[in-house]
Amino acid sequence: MNITRILLPVDGSRFSDAAADMAMDMAERFNASVVLLHVRKTVPTGLGQPNANELLEYLTKSAEVVMAHYRGKLDNAKIDYIDLVIGGPVADTIANVAEVEKCDLVVMGSKGKSNLEGLILGSVTHKVLNVTACPVLVVK
């Protein structure tokens, strides 16, 4: 398998941190670039103004905080990357980005920041495994 582009979806959880470490190690080993992705919640269409703008601003700032952490890690490791913040259904967005960005591999945490900590595998991770065409490496 030739790995030149790795998709790294992150949410700021400890599982995302572990996935980032693994993705960076693989990127260095294979001289691959990384597509850093944060999928933020969408703004409901019926929310109305100014509430919709305020929520979008809040979600954008929250995404920026998450992304800044991972940008710093990638910058320190001198790994080539692009970063994306996209709103939408998480698993489907990850699958779409993997396809559009022509990623060879998705590296993601086994669980995210949900209240479903008791599950062995997070629901988003489970769905990504089923909807993504490329291989997915799940990191604990």
PDB file of all heavy atoms in Angstrom, residues 84-98:
ATOM      1  N   LEU A  84      -9.031  21.729   7.230  1.00  0.00           N
ATOM      2  CA  LEU A  84     -10.401  22.020   6.819  1.00  0.00           C
ATOM      3  C   LEU A  84     -11.324  21.985   8.027  1.00  0.00           C
ATOM      4  O   LEU A  84     -11.208  21.089   8.864  1.00  0.00           O
ATOM      5  CB  LEU A  84     -10.891  20.973   5.809  1.00  0.00           C
ATOM      6  CG  LEU A  84     -10.071  20.746   4.545  1.00  0.00           C
ATOM      7  CD1 LEU A  84     -10.543  19.489   3.836  1.00  0.00           C
ATOM      8  CD2 LEU A  84     -10.190  21.948   3.633  1.00  0.00           C
ATOM      9  N   VAL A  85     -12.241  22.948   8.083  1.00  0.00           N
ATOM     10  CA  VAL A  85     -13.339  22.917   9.046  1.00  0.00           C
ATOM     11  C   VAL A  85     -14.610  22.931   8.215  1.00  0.00           C
ATOM     12  O   VAL A  85     -14.839  23.863   7.444  1.00  0.00           O
ATOM     13  CB  VAL A  85     -13.307  24.117  10.017  1.00  0.00           C
ATOM     14  CG1 VAL A  85     -14.529  24.098  10.927  1.00  0.00           C
ATOM     15  CG2 VAL A  85     -12.027  24.109  10.841  1.00  0.00           C
ATOM     16  N   ILE A  86     -15.415  21.884   8.372  1.00  0.00           N
ATOM     17  CA  ILE A  86     -16.608  21.731   7.553  1.00  0.00           C
ATOM     18  C   ILE A  86     -17.774  21.379   8.468  1.00  0.00           C
ATOM     19  O   ILE A  86     -17.632  20.567   9.375  1.00  0.00           O
ATOM     20  CB  ILE A  86     -16.414  20.615   6.496  1.00  0.00           C
ATOM     21  CG1 ILE A  86     -15.236  20.963   5.578  1.00  0.00           C
ATOM     22  CG2 ILE A  86     -17.685  20.393   5.692  1.00  0.00           C
ATOM     23  CD1 ILE A  86     -14.868  19.870   4.605  1.00  0.00           C
ATOM     24  N   GLY A  87     -18.923  21.981   8.215  1.00  0.00           N
ATOM     25  CA  GLY A  87     -20.121  21.643   8.961  1.00  0.00           C
ATOM     26  C   GLY A  87     -20.891  20.548   8.253  1.00  0.00           C
ATOM     27  O   GLY A  87     -20.950  20.516   7.026  1.00  0.00           O
ATOM     28  N   GLY A  88     -21.464  19.636   9.023  1.00  0.00           N
ATOM     29  CA  GLY A  88     -22.265  18.581   8.423  1.00  0.00           C
ATOM     30  C   GLY A  88     -22.297  17.344   9.281  1.00  0.00           C
ATOM     31  O   GLY A  88     -21.712  17.309  10.367  1.00  0.00           O
ATOM     32  N   PRO A  89     -22.970  16.312   8.772  1.00  0.00           N
ATOM     33  CA  PRO A  89     -22.982  15.027   9.477  1.00  0.00           C
ATOM     34  C   PRO A  89     -21.557  14.458   9.499  1.00  0.00           C
ATOM     35  O   PRO A  89     -20.915  14.340   8.453  1.00  0.00           O
ATOM     36  CB  PRO A  89     -23.915  14.145   8.649  1.00  0.00           C
ATOM     37  CG  PRO A  89     -24.469  14.997   7.568  1.00  0.00           C
ATOM     38  CD  PRO A  89     -23.732  16.290   7.544  1.00  0.00           C
ATOM     39  N   VAL A  90     -21.078  14.114  10.665  1.00  0.00           N
ATOM     40  CA  VAL A  90     -19.655  13.829  10.842  1.00  0.00           C
ATOM     41  C   VAL A  90     -19.155  12.685   9.962  1.00  0.00           C
ATOM     42  O   VAL A  90     -18.204  12.863   9.191  1.00  0.00           O
ATOM     43  CB  VAL A  90     -19.330  13.563  12.329  1.00  0.00           C
ATOM     44  CG1 VAL A  90     -17.851  13.282  12.510  1.00  0.00           C
ATOM     45  CG2 VAL A  90     -19.750  14.751  13.190  1.00  0.00           C
ATOM     46  N   ALA A  91     -19.741  11.524  10.064  1.00  0.00           N
ATOM     47  CA  ALA A  91     -19.229  10.357   9.325  1.00  0.00           C
ATOM     48  C   ALA A  91     -19.301  10.575   7.817  1.00  0.00           C
ATOM     49  O   ALA A  91     -18.348  10.267   7.091  1.00  0.00           O
ATOM     50  CB  ALA A  91     -19.988   9.099   9.722  1.00  0.00           C
ATOM     51  N   ASP A  92     -20.409  11.099   7.340  1.00  0.00           N
ATOM     52  CA  ASP A  92     -20.550  11.336   5.898  1.00  0.00           C
ATOM     53  C   ASP A  92     -19.560  12.389   5.418  1.00  0.00           C
ATOM     54  O   ASP A  92     -18.996  12.267   4.328  1.00  0.00           O
ATOM     55  CB  ASP A  92     -21.978  11.768   5.567  1.00  0.00           C
ATOM     56  CG  ASP A  92     -22.984  10.646   5.791  1.00  0.00           C
ATOM     57  OD1 ASP A  92     -22.604   9.465   5.652  1.00  0.00           O
ATOM     58  OD2 ASP A  92     -24.149  10.958   6.113  1.00  0.00           O
ATOM     59  N   THR A  93     -19.328  13.413   6.228  1.00  0.00           N
ATOM     60  CA  THR A  93     -18.367  14.453   5.856  1.00  0.00           C
ATOM     61  C   THR A  93     -16.961  13.880   5.793  1.00  0.00           C
ATOM     62  O   THR A  93     -16.199  14.181   4.866  1.00  0.00           O
ATOM     63  CB  THR A  93     -18.434  15.630   6.844  1.00  0.00           C
ATOM     64  OG1 THR A  93     -19.769  16.154   6.844  1.00  0.00           O
ATOM     65  CG2 THR A  93     -17.457  16.727   6.469  1.00  0.00           C
ATOM     66  N   ILE A  94     -16.610  13.043   6.751  1.00  0.00           N
ATOM     67  CA  ILE A  94     -15.289  12.401   6.729  1.00  0.00           C
ATOM     68  C   ILE A  94     -15.124  11.564   5.460  1.00  0.00           C
ATOM     69  O   ILE A  94     -14.103  11.654   4.769  1.00  0.00           O
ATOM     70  CB  ILE A  94     -15.080  11.539   7.995  1.00  0.00           C
ATOM     71  CG1 ILE A  94     -14.959  12.436   9.228  1.00  0.00           C
ATOM     72  CG2 ILE A  94     -13.850  10.637   7.848  1.00  0.00           C
ATOM     73  CD1 ILE A  94     -15.014  11.694  10.551  1.00  0.00           C
ATOM     74  N   ALA A  95     -16.137  10.777   5.125  1.00  0.00           N
ATOM     75  CA  ALA A  95     -16.078   9.949   3.917  1.00  0.00           C
ATOM     76  C   ALA A  95     -15.954  10.808   2.666  1.00  0.00           C
ATOM     77  O   ALA A  95     -15.164  10.492   1.769  1.00  0.00           O
ATOM     78  CB  ALA A  95     -17.312   9.056   3.831  1.00  0.00           C
ATOM     79  N   ASN A  96     -16.709  11.896   2.601  1.00  0.00           N
ATOM     80  CA  ASN A  96     -16.659  12.792   1.432  1.00  0.00           C
ATOM     81  C   ASN A  96     -15.295  13.450   1.297  1.00  0.00           C
ATOM     82  O   ASN A  96     -14.739  13.526   0.192  1.00  0.00           O
ATOM     83  CB  ASN A  96     -17.753  13.855   1.510  1.00  0.00           C
ATOM     84  CG  ASN A  96     -19.131  13.284   1.274  1.00  0.00           C
ATOM     85  OD1 ASN A  96     -19.284  12.221   0.677  1.00  0.00           O
ATOM     86  ND2 ASN A  96     -20.142  13.978   1.759  1.00  0.00           N
ATOM     87  N   VAL A  97     -14.742  13.929   2.408  1.00  0.00           N
ATOM     88  CA  VAL A  97     -13.422  14.568   2.358  1.00  0.00           C
ATOM     89  C   VAL A  97     -12.358  13.550   1.949  1.00  0.00           C
ATOM     90  O   VAL A  97     -11.474  13.865   1.153  1.00  0.00           O
ATOM     91  CB  VAL A  97     -13.085  15.248   3.701  1.00  0.00           C
ATOM     92  CG1 VAL A  97     -11.626  15.692   3.746  1.00  0.00           C
ATOM     93  CG2 VAL A  97     -14.016  16.440   3.938  1.00  0.00           C
ATOM     94  N   ALA A  98     -12.442  12.345   2.469  1.00  0.00           N
ATOM     95  CA  ALA A  98     -11.477  11.307   2.087  1.00  0.00           C
ATOM     96  C   ALA A  98     -11.491  11.086   0.577  1.00  0.00           C
ATOM     97  O   ALA A  98     -10.440  10.948  -0.054  1.00  0.00           O
ATOM     98  CB  ALA A  98     -11.782   9.997   2.826  1.00  0.00           C
TER      99      ALA A  98
END
